[in-house]
Amino acid sequence: MFHSCVLKKNLLRPVCALLALLLVTGGLTGCGNSSQKQVRKTSFFLNTVITITLYGTEEETLIDRCFELCRDYEALLSRTLDGSEIYNLNSRLTDTVSDETAALIQAGLSYSRLSNGAFDITIGSCSSLWDFSAEAPVLPDKAALSEALTHVGYEKVSVNGNSVTFSDDRTLLDLGAIAKGYIADCLKEFLLENGVRSATIDLGGNILCVGEKPDGSDFKIGIQKPFDEQGTPVIAVSLSDWSVVTSGIYERYFEEDGTLYHHILDPSTGYPCDNGLLSVTILSEHSLDGDALSTACFSLGLSDGMALIDSLENIYAVFITDDYELHYSAGLKDTFSITEY
Ligand code: ADP
Ligand code: MG
């Protein structure tokens, strides 16, 4: 599927999740031979907690350079950051973007088409009316939301080379559901180019493994029990080199009058998807695919989402429904070793 990172030095502000996925790796401590060395640093970019762990090295500067890349990508792709390419497009200050932004918008449009609009990068006019991170979140005005909804529709956007045009002057792009996955792929490429052979990249629960653990074994990635404040995993998946991304209703939400409002919106209503799902986790080679598909499948719901995953090669999913039941896509359990807790 889509993958190409260009911006290596100079790039969003997606959203983000608290830690939906956990690394259940046994900690190695630094010293002794190189296979036992490790360095881990945590920072806050892209509106989320970012943790990068390198194995077989104690070279912190590579992690600092990853953080700089996160800052650059945020400055390029954020919907809300004044001066970003997406901000300028949405403000109609320009119709020209970099190769990298154009390619990511194209990828977003492909997923919008693939999901028949359940995933839609033109959700911006609606998502900008919600603020799930506010100290005292308020429900958007109903009339404003239904007006905003009339500007949602991926078919209103055309990308031609570096030019991005809209058939509706009030359509707004929001790459929040794919940007972190894309950035994780870019960080991995950067680390590989710099000689790293074993690492984990965790962008707010969007986890991408580089290689395998230094002892040749798989990383063990936990999938969190929804709403569990201790982050207790329900299962852990053993894998190397792959991505594990979760979209869930417990990541960003508020409650009003007994109703929970979360940040994955149904592009046909402008309101949070309400379909009995608590989370969807995607296992894929590239994190961009995982990020897009976790949001897409959440929006599609269990039945259509599972059918989509089963139609795709080399992509697997775990859906958790509101009875805390786990639903695995075809072949997942034959492909990966799963630990159930
Ligand atoms: P997170 O980034 O928190 O892990 P997601 O990848 O599921 O979660 O992305 C959710 C974000 O994507 C929202 O905050 C919003 O910016 C945007 N979004 C919400 N609903 C949709 C949708 N149906 N299609 C595309 N983007 C969406
Ligand atoms: Mg996503």
Side-chain angles (χ1 to χ4, degrees):
M1 298 191 126
F2 174 88
H3 184 239
S4 120
C5 306
V6 179
L7 183 78
K8 292 281 163 43
K9 289 206 261 21
N10 298 325
L11 289 218
L12 145 181
R13 177 186 184 110
V15 257
C16 124
L18 296 178
L19 301 173
L21 301 162
L22 334 155
L23 273 169
V24 211
T25 48
L28 297 171
T29 41
C31 74
N33 70 42
S34 69
S35 73
Q36 288 176 318
K37 287 182 185 166
Q38 77 166 56
V39 54
R40 170 174 299 158
K41 283 182 96 168
T42 294
S43 192
F44 193 88
F45 288 104
L46 314 168
N47 210 15
T48 197
V49 178
I50 294 181
T51 302
I52 297 177
T53 311
L54 308 182
Y55 298 94
T57 177
E58 287 169 346
E59 194 50 73
E60 274 191 36
T61 52
L62 282 178
I63 304 189
D64 293 334
R65 287 178 67 193
C66 285
F67 291 157
E68 280 166 27
L69 278 170
C70 291
R71 186 184 310 119
D72 292 344
Y73 275 108
E74 184 160 22
L76 188 74
L77 301 172
S78 166
R79 176 178 63 78
T80 53
L81 208 60
D82 196 339
S84 81
E85 290 198 330
I86 298 302
Y87 184 95
N88 289 345
L89 271 184
N90 283 343
S91 314
R92 305 298 192 263
L93 291 170
T94 184
D95 60 6
T96 306
V97 294
S98 61
D99 291 350
E100 194 155 19
T101 301
L104 188 55
I105 295 172
Q106 290 274 31
L109 292 173
S110 304
Y111 278 105
S112 304
R113 284 188 287 270
L114 184 70
S115 65
N116 277 324
F119 169 95
D120 193 323
I121 57 165
T122 64
I123 197 74
S125 53
C126 290
S127 57
S128 59
L129 297 178
W130 293 88
D131 185 356
F132 297 94
S133 322
E135 265 189 28
V138 284
L139 274 179
D141 176 70
K142 224 175 167 173
L145 199 55
S146 59
E147 200 283 326
L149 201 56
T150 64
H151 307 297
V152 175
Y154 61 89
E155 65 293 334
K156 298 172 191 279
V157 187
S158 308
V159 183
N160 230 312
N162 295 74
S163 157
V164 182
T165 50
F166 300 88
S167 63
D168 177 332
D169 199 42
R170 299 192 55 198
T171 294
L172 302 179
L173 294 178
D174 178 349
L175 300 183
I178 48 171
K180 278 187 294 166
Y182 174 67
I183 294 168
D185 290 332
C186 295
L187 298 184
K188 177 170 179 172
E189 202 172 300
F190 168 78
L191 290 173
L192 287 170
E193 278 168 2
N194 284 277
V196 173
R197 290 292 165 263
S198 175
T200 53
I201 298 162
D202 178 346
L203 308 186
N206 197 312
I207 293 181
L208 181 60
C209 303
V210 178
E212 53 198 16
K213 281 165 68 177
D215 66 3
S217 62
D218 282 338
F219 291 103
K220 214 168 171 186
I221 310 293
I223 297 176
Q224 187 186 317
K225 182 173 183 190
F227 297 108
D228 185 284
E229 284 180 7
Q230 271 73 48
T232 318
V234 271
I235 57 163
V237 189
S238 298
L239 41 71
S240 295
D241 227 23
W242 269 45
S243 158
V244 184
V245 177
T246 296
S247 285
I249 70 169
Y250 53 89
E251 296 169 332
R252 286 190 181 280
Y253 68 92
F254 63 90
E255 284 182 48
E256 193 169 306
D257 296 333
T259 302
L260 184 151
Y261 296 94
H262 64 85
H263 77 316
I264 304 169
L265 305 177
D266 178 346
S268 66
T269 64
Y271 282 91
C273 299
D274 180 15
N275 56 18
L277 284 177
L278 297 182
S279 70
V280 180
T281 300
I282 304 289
L283 315 185
S284 57
E285 213 171 326
H286 296 300
S287 214
L288 170 60
D289 299 325
D291 198 0
L293 287 169
S294 63
T295 311
C297 287
F298 194 99
S299 178
L300 282 166
L302 177 61
S303 167
D304 290 351
M306 195 64 96
L308 174 61
I309 295 304
D310 288 341
S311 74
L312 299 172
E313 285 280 314
N314 232 16
I315 306 266
Y316 301 90
V318 184
F319 291 63
I320 305 184
T321 39
D322 55 13
D323 51 5
Y324 286 82
E325 196 71 30
L326 275 70
H327 308 259
Y328 295 96
S329 68
L332 188 152
K333 284 180 143 176
D334 304 326
T335 310
F336 299 95
S337 154
I338 305 282
T339 311
E340 292 182 347
Y341 295 101

